[in-house]
């Protein structure tokens, strides 16, 4: 899905440019994912598990751009990648075509500026345009900042999976599953 590049105003007065993640940015996206995976205990992988090749990432980004019902958006602040969010189908069968999965990650330094909320609002609008009627996401136990944002956007908790993530030191965290009717 192609999204027309837009500018959005952040709480700190800076402007963010929101656009499709582009295949030519594959290397940058891999580096970004490694960094944010190390900054946050709330993402699904460790930095060393980000082992995509540039070619594979380029193909993923190309597929998103060509998809009629999936997208990956990126946000740039002062020309620097600040984060991304993604919309993915939950299936191609008639019984699940109404559902989509939403995900988001930001560099830590771009949190608390309203960027996540703005990206998610944009993504949810696109989901609705695609004909989805239900958006779903998971939020890791302890990530109260994100959970609060999701709840303020209308997501409701519908389940909890204990021990969803296991860390290198043996500790675990559960995962809340959330849904929003579109």
């Amino acid at each position: 899905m192609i999204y027309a590049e837009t500018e959005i105003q952040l709480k700190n007065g800076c402007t963010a440019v929101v656009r499709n993640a582009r295949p030519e940015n594959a290397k940058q996206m891999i580096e970004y994912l490694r960094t944010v995976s190390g900054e946050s205990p709330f993402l699904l992988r460790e930095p060393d598990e980000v082992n995509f090749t540039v070619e594979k990432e380029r193909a993923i980004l190309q597929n998103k751009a060509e998809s009629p019902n999936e997208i990956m958006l990126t946000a740039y602040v002062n020309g620097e990648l600040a984060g991304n969010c993604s919309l993915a189908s939950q299936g191609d069968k008639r019984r699940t075509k109404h559902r989509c999965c939403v995900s988001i990650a930001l560099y830590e330094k771009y949190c608390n500026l309203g960027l996540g909320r703005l990206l998610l609002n944009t993504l949810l609008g696109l989901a609705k345009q695609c004909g989805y009627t239900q958006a779903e996401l998971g939020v890791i136990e302890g990530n109260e900042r994100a959970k609060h944002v999701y709840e303020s956007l209308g997501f409701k908790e519908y389940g909890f999976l204990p021990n969803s993530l296991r860390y290198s030191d043996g500790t675990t965290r559960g995962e809340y599953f959330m849904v929003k009717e579109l």
Side-chain angles (χ1 to χ4, degrees):
M1 170 188 301
I2 300 299
Y3 176 75
E5 186 173 297
T6 59
E7 292 185 359
I8 54 177
Q9 194 73 29
L10 302 179
K11 288 180 186 177
N12 66 356
C14 287
T15 300
V17 175
V18 178
R19 64 173 176 77
N20 282 83
R22 298 175 181 159
E24 61 267 23
N25 298 123
K27 186 174 190 285
Q28 180 186 40
M29 293 300 292
I30 292 168
E31 292 167 2
Y32 152 79
L33 189 53
R34 278 191 187 115
T35 301
V36 296
S37 293
E39 286 181 340
S40 173
F42 305 120
L43 299 180
L44 299 180
R45 55 177 61 93
E46 296 287 339
D48 64 336
E49 294 175 308
V50 180
N51 50 20
F52 310 118
T53 64
V54 172
E55 293 75 26
K56 180 167 173 69
E57 182 69 7
R58 190 176 288 128
I60 290 168
L61 298 176
Q62 186 66 43
N63 286 340
K64 289 285 189 188
E66 293 173 358
S67 173
N69 62 346
E70 294 191 359
I71 191 167
M72 184 180 295
L73 295 177
T74 53
Y76 289 82
V77 177
N78 298 323
E80 181 177 283
L81 179 62
N84 83 314
C85 62
S86 185
L87 172 69
S89 171
Q90 288 287 60
D92 63 352
K93 306 297 182 252
R94 286 189 304 271
R95 293 180 181 182
T96 59
K97 284 175 99 170
H98 66 288
R99 297 170 51 209
C100 65
C101 180
V102 174
S103 59
I104 185 167
L106 303 174
Y107 280 118
E108 184 62 36
K109 72 181 190 176
Y110 292 106
C111 291
N112 297 315
L113 299 176
L115 180 58
R117 178 182 306 278
L118 291 166
L119 283 172
L120 287 167
N121 270 326
T122 300
L123 204 65
L124 292 169
L126 293 171
K128 203 168 184 178
Q129 287 176 21
C130 287
Y132 292 115
T133 59
Q134 182 169 298
E136 303 167 12
L137 57 79
V139 60
I140 301 303
E141 183 178 22
N143 193 353
E144 296 307 316
R145 177 173 63 191
K147 194 169 185 226
H148 172 75
V149 170
Y150 302 145
E151 288 171 342
S152 73
L153 292 171
F155 282 88
K156 305 272 189 244
E157 184 181 325
Y158 70 91
F160 181 77
L161 177 64
N163 306 314
S164 180
L165 298 185
R166 181 174 304 278
Y167 298 94
S168 299
D169 66 1
T171 61
T172 63
R173 289 185 193 234
E175 182 175 8
Y176 296 97
F177 295 104
M178 302 185 82
V179 65
K180 175 182 171 65
E181 298 298 321
L182 300 174

